[in-house]
Amino acid sequence: MAGSQTVTGFGPGKVILLGEHGVVYGYPALAAPLSVGVTAHASFAKRPKLEVPEAVRGEARKLLLAAFDAAVKAAGSPPVHVSLRSDLPPSMGLGSSAAVSVACARVLLQAASGKAPSGKEVAHIAWQMERVFHGTPSGVDHTTSALNAPIHFRRRPDADRASVKEVDCPATLKLLVLLVGQRPSTKQTVAALRARQAKWPERYARIFDEIGHLADEGREAVEEGDPELLGDLMNMNHGLLAALGLSSASIDDAVHLLRAQGAFGAKLTGAGGDGGAVIALFEDADAVRRRLRKKGYTCFTSQIAGPRTLL
Ligand code: MEV
């Protein structure tokens, strides 16, 4: 890459369909990419630099620059200026930091080598950024974004690598994503759960174990293209997340609203807490989106599995 050439890379957002939090303790999770995400543009320059978006200030700015620095080093310091554009709501449990990491990793690797990197190479560099953002994440977010496919993910405690299986789906599965409001950071929610789990490890392990079983069954539901089964698993998973103290009145209200609209299933997605995003599977997600938008709700739809040409 030289002169005025530019490189563009996309990092999709993600939803965890089943298994958030349990995945941090080594249990399985099922996740899928969204059609919205972050796009990075890189152009040749004297030295690597990230143009931080205006809205990102203070600690968040420092963290973003430190994460970018880690990725630059891991990618061999290609001399590019990188700018970011996002159509993903930030800090909602939709993998915005993973999407930034993947978009940056893509352009840095492509600038360094002159060829399009593989999903695995992208995941390796994005992981350096995710660790700066989150400390000790499970890795499910950036892996889903880097592979841009539904995945069954498991990283057993102390394992160097995760077991990652892409999950094919014969049918188009479309989700509605409803934004509920601000939430604490993932780091805070994960740490608060860690404190409860450390106090009562056996009881928490029983719930994580059941959530892991739901993720395993969910993989089969996606492989069979069965939204009714997947929806039922999502409903159960939401109940268990609430049992772990990860839901709130506003999240539960959104879940019940979506079920009343005819959802096969609805649950919080990501870390949870006071707000964030709630997801629901519908026969016709776009019709529900139109109805809810008319009533003033903030929501969007995204295909999460099925033939790629329909994305
Ligand atoms: C974050 O999207 C999901 C959590 O399970 C944290 C993680 O996997 O690192 C809450």
Side-chain angles (χ1 to χ4, degrees), residues 14 16 19-24 93 95 136-141 186 190 270-271:
K14 68 88 196 44
I16 298 187
E20 49 273 268
H21 288 286
V23 68
V24 174
T136 51
S138 67
V140 66
D141 290 10
T186 297
V190 167

Side-chain angles (χ1 to χ4, degrees), residues 68-283:
F68 181 73
D69 214 38
V72 164
K73 285 201 181 90
S77 301
V80 282
H81 275 192
V82 177
S83 61
L84 301 171
R85 192 177 49 74
S86 175
D87 52 9
L88 191 63
S91 306
M92 283 285 154
L94 300 174
S96 51
S97 73
V100 166
S101 303
V102 165
C104 288
R106 269 192 202 291
V107 292
L108 290 171
L109 284 168
Q110 173 129 13
S113 73
K115 55 184 195 316
S118 68
K120 216 169 153 187
E121 289 166 328
V122 170
H124 175 71
I125 302 297
W127 178 235
Q128 315 306 317
M129 290 187 73
E130 274 290 86
R131 288 206 318 217
V132 177
F133 286 129
H134 295 299
T136 51
S138 67
V140 66
D141 290 10
H142 80 281
T143 307
T144 310
S145 181
L147 297 180
N148 199 9
I151 59 168
H152 179 273
F153 179 98
R154 182 169 199 180
R155 184 190 298 275
R156 290 177 191 270
D158 301 324
D160 287 346
R161 292 155 161 267
S163 147
V164 181
K165 300 271 179 329
E166 289 192 25
V167 186
D168 288 334
C169 182
T172 299
L173 298 182
K174 209 164 186 182
L175 271 186
L176 183 131
V177 181
L178 177 61
L179 302 184
V180 174
Q182 290 306 305
R183 63 176 183 106
S185 74
T186 297
K187 224 177 192 169
Q188 270 174 281
T189 309
V190 167
L193 177 60
R194 170 86 60 198
R196 296 196 290 280
Q197 175 273 343
K199 211 166 172 186
W200 303 292
E202 279 165 26
R203 183 152 43 82
Y204 278 72
R206 289 203 299 273
I207 295 190
F208 290 140
D209 191 49
E210 182 50 34
I211 290 177
H213 285 303
L214 298 180
D216 289 342
E217 283 178 66
R219 174 182 175 176
E220 288 165 31
V222 171
E223 280 168 350
E224 285 159 23
D226 185 343
E228 203 182 334
L229 173 55
L230 185 57
D232 196 57
L233 294 165
M234 286 165 60
N235 283 337
M236 276 194 188
N237 194 169
H238 184 75
L240 293 173
L241 287 165
L244 291 171
L246 297 161
S247 193
S248 66
S250 54
I251 293 175
D252 285 343
D253 285 351
V255 164
H256 289 292
L257 167 82
L258 294 168
R259 288 181 190 154
Q261 294 286 324
F264 292 116
K267 67 182 274 289
L268 71 83
T269 189
D274 288 339
V278 169
I279 54 172
L281 264 183
F282 286 98
E283 186 76 56

